[in-house]
Amino acid sequence: EVPNLQQLLLKAGAVKSSREAQRLVEQKAVKVLGEPEGSPLAGRLDGGEDVLGTLRTPLPAGDYRLKLGKTRFAVVSLTD
């Protein structure tokens, strides 16, 4: 089960550690290109909100398209 963004990035192999996921979000290097309806990520990653709160926000099931830095992309499907 992948309940939040930090675990999603880690289990998908997009980052090597949870600390790396935290650093990417702090540096605003994570962009949401596509997300399911009702997902809270895009609005929270664009603003200057709490990093740990963003990383630990529960994610609904669906397809997520993410850009990590300049050259890494991830497409991940979450199921219930």
Side-chain angles (χ1 to χ4, degrees):
E1 181 175 311
V2 181
N4 57 43
L5 178 60
Q6 190 170 19
Q7 291 299 313
L8 174 78
L9 293 172
L10 192 58
K11 295 205 179 198
V15 295
K16 294 180 182 177
S17 67
S18 58
R19 180 66 181 124
E20 182 181 359
Q22 185 176 344
R23 271 194 306 272
L24 286 173
V25 172
E26 285 173 351
Q27 296 169 358
K28 296 182 177 29
V30 177
K31 305 286 184 227
V32 178
L33 303 176
E35 62 184 324
E37 193 69 31
S39 177
L41 283 185
R44 295 187 78 169
L45 290 174
D46 293 340
E49 294 200 24
D50 177 38
V51 172
L52 289 179
T54 301
L55 284 171
R56 295 181 180 153
T57 300
L59 299 176
D63 295 329
Y64 292 85
R65 293 175 38 221
L66 305 169
K67 181 179 178 186
L68 307 157
K70 289 184 177 183
T71 59
R72 290 188 290 175
F73 292 86
V75 178
V76 182
S77 294
L78 290 181
T79 58
D80 286 332

